Amino acid sequence: MNVLWLQSGGCGGCTMSLLCAESPDVLATLEGGGVSLLWHPSLSEASGREAVAILESCIAGTTPLDVLCVEGALLRGPHGSGRFHVLAGTGQAMIDWVRALAARARHTVAVGTCAAFGGVTAAAYNPTDACGLQYDGNAAGGLLGAGYRSASGLPVINVAGCPTHPGWVLETLLALALDGIAAADLDALGRPRFYADQLVHHGCSRNEFYEFKASAEKASDLGCMMEHMGCKGTQAHADCNVRPWNGAGSCTSGGYPCISCTEPGFEEPGHPFFETPKVGGIPIGLPTDMPKAWFVALAALSKSATPKRVRTNATADHPVVTPVIRKTGLK
Amino acid sequence: MSRRVLGPFNRVEGDLELSLDTDDGVVSAARVNSPLYRGFEQILEGKVPADALVIVPRICGICSVSQSVAAATALADAMGVTPPPNGARATNLMLATENLADHLTHFYLFFMPDFARDAYAGAPWFASAEARFKAIRGAAAADVLPARAQFMHLLGTLAGKWPHTLSVQPGGSARAVSATERVRMVSLIRHFRAWLERHLFGDALEAISGIGSEAALWEWFDAKGPERGDFARFLGIARNLRLDRLGRCEGGERYLSHGNYVFEGERLFARGVWDGVSASLLDFAHEDVTEDVSHAWMAGEGACHPLSGFTQPDIARESGYSWCKAPRWRGEVVQCGALSRQVVDAHPLARDLVAAGGGNVFSRVVGRLLEIARVVPEMERWALAIEPGERFCTEAGVPDSAQGVGLIEAARGALGHWVVIRKGRIQRYQIIAPTTWNFSPRDERGTPGALEQALVGTPACESDEMPLAVQHVVRSFDPCMVCTVH
Ligand code: SF4
Ligand code: SF4
């Protein structure tokens, strides 16, 4: 399966994240899965004309393009010209290259939230008129249009995340190479459901603090970060706390809130990232699937029942009260 | 004279285009263009200061911790807060992990594969270079990727994830390290050391950092030859191809380092500018820095200090040929990077190499590998010194009105963030990244930037679409174009 990888208006971080793949490493995984890289800007030998020739041959249909991976937002500005990002040496806007290649691709994959939805490049007043391949923030459309389907009949596959986890990318590519991905394997935003049907909250090491609404108040506290620190783990679709990052980590285990980087528009939450917006003391962003009245009732009850250990540890940076050892004889 | 435009340049981070004039097969003038603009400085204006910690790392996926540390340092300066010792250790460990992983990625995946190209098929070292460094297929990639990924577990623990962590805070680190995690980190660092000593150096790190002159370096090489390890393989190729005569920037014999790895007010690597012509170390003050927009697609006139500078794209600007501004120190072109850091810090090998041939393809690569050997033992010391149970982060508020400067060293060199806060919001945010210094366009006096000068004199035969010597010079700087143009 031939994969062509382009970097558009992003930071290259999704590629760098990919290089952190393990057991086996990224190149071994791709090779073992029958995936060959036609060209990748960070890894391939070919430069200049040689590289452009590979792109041209895909557009001409001479080289079959099984998967087009695009990393980074598509920059439409200034004034729709795409001149904020010209593919070096070609004088042509990257958005034109992407349009021509997407028209040929059997599958089109957006690697990362920039390519999927616009991402941080589209933050504030979006100075470069950045968008995703098939989304402009929450709105379907983007560079290729809401009606775009690759040759396989699928919409753009959005491996969202800022950056994406190497496992999300590799498993998507391997699935495409092995027996394909069906429309039902993608969620309503085009994200592979194998990781997007989960919430960051699942498996978070702070779950016990969450249960008792024992909350962190400042950076480095151990408590749940939902109430005061802006954590969106209960709403963000991703398996970050079940599938470790860099061998051992996740945002919430790293001491900071989930900012829901797999969601369209995460770059502009409408409030400071490290604050939880509240109305009448109640966070407005309630957990997915939870009616507000239940949340309020449950939170009040659980707060009144918080064990001293959990309450004390919530505002410390290491456990200061350890679980008691008690022989109940009831086990 | 003939002129040609080269691109895309792969195996550099981000987008790069060169316009070269050649005479008799040699580059007579070069213009460096960064053909990508994203507008981070514009995006930051009007946000609450802490939001910079979310936005700024996303400038760059290869040196995102560096961007985080620069932002946190600028905010800490504005807030008047100092991280506690554990916070400083954790921050230094995160920054060092990223910097060393960058050096490794650059050497193995970006730079060395060029010596495995068919064009070198006749060279005596070719078979070995091809087996080891061929892009994607070479044996070295299979060795280095797992080692790199495992080394990055340090960031899994300290940073939650890489790239784009939020554990780097103005007051220290949001991630306290437990006693057992400290032990695990020491073990990871030692494991990484063992890998380096086996594959990269074929010798103890201390033996490498103890090499005190170019003569001693060649003695070390001659003792066992190129098969000792990948560093020695590079040395053999460099001697054969005379890489020390390639890519010298004659008009930029000034080496800048902001200094790095701060602990209790001291820097492990010194701050300053080494003047290669007078062979003397000059003080660096950020007040001496200006950015000039005369040859960028940017609105504005002339040069100004980052605290009064702004970023407004203007694609119609006729003299413009890049999205990159031109930073200058006391009005002069300077270069930065690992070699500059080691020269400013007075490492005898780095000083000797620069005295002999200036910054060139050879000395820049040696500077990078020398730094790996010097920093890993420091990392082990920092990790061992962590005191579990003590604070990692100091809490502090952001004043309504303030300004801050964050000067640190990313893998590729001097990185500076300048922030002005008014009414609790970011009024101005200006960034000068390492590659902005190195790959700067011309300034208002018409003086070319460091790479533009370094390319002059490089062999570039007219029939060759993408001359290899040009590629070596470009990649020897390890450019990061996404940082450059942010
Ligand atoms: S910190 Fe976030 S993800 Fe973790 S338990 Fe609290 S709400 Fe859930
Ligand atoms: S925890 Fe949240 S912010 Fe962090 S990577 Fe996962 S989805 Fe993104």
Side-chain angles (χ1 to χ4, degrees):
Chain A
M1 187 176 83
N2 284 339
V3 174
L4 175 68
W5 189 295
L6 296 181
Q7 288 174 334
S8 189
C11 71
C14 290
T15 287
M16 283 300 132
S17 179
L18 189 62
L19 293 183
C20 297
E22 289 182 82
S23 308
D25 65 79
V26 51
L27 295 176
T29 305
L30 292 177
E31 199 192 337
V35 177
S36 70
L37 285 173
L38 286 175
W39 192 68
H40 184 296
S42 302
L43 303 170
S44 297
E45 183 175 286
S47 269
R49 276 304 311 165
E50 289 170 279
V52 175
I54 297 170
L55 272 50
E56 283 167 346
S57 132
C58 289
I59 293 171
T62 321
T63 303
L65 177 56
D66 296 311
V67 182
L68 171 66
C69 286
V70 178
E71 172 183 359
L74 292 312
L75 310 187
R76 294 169 297 190
H79 313 298
S81 67
R83 306 304 293 175
F84 279 134
H85 187 201
V86 167
L87 178 60
T90 71
Q92 269 196 50
M94 183 59 97
I95 53 174
D96 294 333
W97 283 104
V98 169
R99 281 193 191 107
L101 287 158
R104 282 289 183 181
R106 213 157 81 72
H107 304 287
T108 301
V109 175
V111 181
T113 300
C114 287
F117 309 123
V120 159
T121 314
Y125 59 100
N126 194 353
T128 57
D129 198 11
C131 66
L133 282 170
Q134 204 166 15
Y135 279 86
D136 189 347
N138 272 298
L143 181 77
L144 300 174
Y148 169 82
R149 294 293 177 270
S150 64
S152 66
L154 287 179
V156 173
I157 300 171
N158 288 325
V159 188
C162 184
T164 48
H165 191 291
W168 302 342
V169 179
L170 286 175
E171 285 168 28
T172 300
L173 291 178
L174 292 184
L176 287 173
L178 211 59
D179 38 27
I181 285 181
D185 298 326
L186 303 176
D187 78 355
L189 291 163
R191 299 175 299 196
R193 290 177 54 189
F194 72 85
Y195 81 92
D197 274 1
Q198 306 191 48
L199 296 174
V200 166
H201 183 62
H202 299 161
C204 176
S205 60
R206 296 167 192 251
N207 278 170
E208 191 190 31
F209 295 101
Y210 174 88
E211 280 173 44
F212 291 105
K213 295 290 158 295
S215 298
E217 287 167 5
K218 55 185 190 303
S220 92
D221 282 352
L222 292 177
C224 170
M225 296 181 286
M226 181 208 166
E227 201 178 19
H228 306 306
M229 308 283 291
C231 185
K232 296 216 171 78
T234 56
Q235 305 153 57
H237 288 244
D239 59 4
C240 298
N241 276 311
V242 182
R243 181 196 292 266
W245 286 77
N246 302 104
S250 76
C251 292
T252 58
S253 72
Y256 50 93
C258 166
I259 56 171
S260 69
C261 75
T262 58
E263 311 292 314
F266 90 94
E267 67 277 5
E268 282 300 330
H271 58 83
F273 282 101
F274 299 111
E275 283 172 28
T276 306
K278 294 173 202 162
V279 175
I282 311 290
I284 56 168
L286 288 182
T288 303
D289 322 313
M290 192 154 191
K292 186 172 171 180
W294 289 15
F295 180 84
V296 174
L298 227 75
L301 189 66
S302 61
K303 268 198 186 194
S304 68
T306 309
K308 176 162 173 285
R309 170 178 59 83
V310 177
R311 191 170 3 124
T312 311
N313 291 345
T315 51
D317 70 1
H318 61 284
V320 282
V321 183
T322 54
V324 293
I325 299 172
R326 193 190 287 155
K327 281 216 165 68
T328 61
L330 296 176
K331 285 173 193 161
Chain B
M1 194 213 51
S2 76
R3 173 171 293 184
R4 78 195 109 154
V5 175
L6 304 186
F9 257 90
N10 57 327
R11 283 178 286 109
V12 302
E13 182 54 46
D15 290 73
L16 168 67
E17 182 175 277
L18 291 184
S19 165
L20 295 185
D21 295 347
T22 48
D23 270 317
D24 294 331
V26 167
V27 176
S28 55
R31 279 175 191 73
V32 177
N33 173 14
S34 311
L36 167 69
Y37 176 76
R38 288 172 300 154
F40 273 75
E41 292 157 325
Q42 292 177 281
I43 286 170
L44 285 158
E45 284 171 17
K47 300 212 172 289
V48 299
D51 280 2
L53 299 170
V54 175
I55 307 284
V56 146
R58 288 166 166 94
I59 287 172
C60 180
I62 193 163
C63 39
S64 86
V65 168
S66 308
Q67 296 286 355
S68 296
V69 174
T73 308
L75 292 178
D77 184 31
M79 294 156 71
V81 66
T82 313
N86 272 346
R89 293 181 186 112
T91 305
N92 284 343
L93 278 166
M94 287 188 261
L95 186 56
T97 306
E98 181 178 88
N99 281 355
L100 299 194
D102 265 9
H103 290 340
L104 209 63
T105 313
H106 175 262
F107 181 77
Y108 279 105
L109 300 181
F110 294 178
F111 184 72
M112 292 307 287
D114 282 328
F115 300 103
R117 285 165 171 265
D118 295 346
Y120 285 126
W125 39 262
F126 182 73
S128 144
E130 191 189 32
R132 192 83 192 128
F133 300 115
K134 189 82 181 165
I136 297 178
R137 298 201 311 274
D143 286 338
V144 76
L145 282 170
R148 178 186 177 280
Q150 202 169 76
F151 181 53
M152 289 296 206
H153 286 197
L154 283 169
L155 290 178
T157 301
L158 286 165
K161 70 167 187 191
W162 182 89
H164 306 340
T165 179
L166 285 170
S167 58
V168 179
Q169 295 280 323
S173 166
R175 175 64 157 89
V177 172
S178 71
T180 165
E181 286 160 348
R182 169 179 156 272
V183 173
R184 232 181 284 152
M185 294 201 307
V186 170
S187 149
L188 281 168
I189 296 165
R190 289 183 178 162
H191 194 71
F192 185 57
R193 168 197 276 266
W195 187 91
L196 293 169
E197 294 182 339
R198 191 162 54 242
H199 292 278
L200 181 56
F201 295 118
D203 205 343
L205 299 187
E206 287 74 7
I208 301 301
S209 52
I211 296 175
S213 66
E214 186 175 354
L217 177 66
W218 291 119
E219 258 171 55
W220 178 86
F221 172 75
D222 288 329
K224 289 200 178 161
E227 294 304 313
R228 176 177 211 158
D230 296 323
F231 180 41
R233 286 190 184 94
F234 162 74
L235 291 176
I237 295 170
R239 181 144 79 178
N240 179 265
L241 293 178
R242 293 309 310 256
L243 295 181
D244 59 333
R245 294 198 185 151
L246 198 62
R248 180 171 188 170
C249 166
E250 301 277 356
E253 285 295 329
R254 290 171 215 89
Y255 301 86
L256 162 67
S257 172
H258 284 162
N260 220 21
Y261 305 125
V262 185
F263 189 76
E264 304 200 314
E266 301 286 319
R267 294 183 197 94
L268 174 67
F269 291 145
R271 171 173 294 179
V273 176
W274 174 255
D275 181 66
V277 177
S278 64
S280 56
L281 188 65
L282 308 172
D283 284 340
F284 171 85
H286 82 88
E287 288 84 356
D288 292 335
V289 173
T290 52
E291 267 198 303
D292 168 310
V293 293
S294 57
H295 290 79
W297 289 308
M298 292 288 165
E301 290 309 320
C304 56
H305 185 267
L307 282 174
S308 51
F310 65 97
T311 302
Q312 187 64 50
D314 175 12
I315 197 154
R317 186 175 198 123
E318 279 196 18
S319 55
Y321 62 87
S322 177
W323 292 110
C324 179
K325 298 185 199 171
R328 295 291 183 264
W329 172 76
R330 298 184 186 168
E332 305 283 358
V333 171
V334 301
Q335 47 187 303
C336 62
L339 176 67
S340 295
R341 259 188 313 270
Q342 296 306 321
V343 166
V344 169
D345 197 51
H347 191 280
L349 172 60
R351 287 262 173 105
D352 196 35
L353 289 174
V354 160
N360 55 56
V361 173
F362 171 66
S363 56
R364 281 191 279 268
V365 175
V366 171
R368 232 171 252 126
L369 300 186
L370 172 64
E371 189 165 86
I372 297 181
R374 285 193 71 189
V375 172
V376 169
E378 298 295 336
M379 293 179 73
E380 193 176 326
R381 273 192 275 282
W382 296 328
L384 282 167
I386 281 176
E387 298 170 272
E390 296 297 322
R391 284 181 317 156
F392 279 76
C393 199
T394 304
E395 174 77 344
V398 188
D400 236 32
S401 255
Q403 61 187 41
V405 183
L407 304 175
I408 66 127
E409 286 282 315
R412 293 161 193 77
L415 171 63
H417 285 201
W418 285 261
V419 62
V420 179
I421 301 165
R422 293 286 175 266
K423 296 186 182 155
R425 300 265 161 177
I426 295 170
Q427 186 196 49
R428 194 187 295 279
Y429 205 110
Q430 291 286 302
I431 298 160
I432 302 181
T435 308
T436 324
W437 286 104
N438 288 333
F439 283 31
S440 134
R442 285 153 168 74
D443 57 28
E444 53 186 343
R445 292 190 294 172
T447 310
L451 173 68
E452 293 185 335
Q453 296 189 32
L455 281 168
V456 172
T458 304
C461 127
E462 263 93 28
S463 64
D464 195 348
E465 294 265 14
M466 197 58 151
L468 265 173
V470 168
Q471 301 196 52
H472 296 327
V473 174
V474 165
R475 293 199 187 98
S476 72
F477 281 94
D478 189 8
C480 180
M481 307 312 295
V482 289
C483 279
T484 310
V485 290
H486 35 270

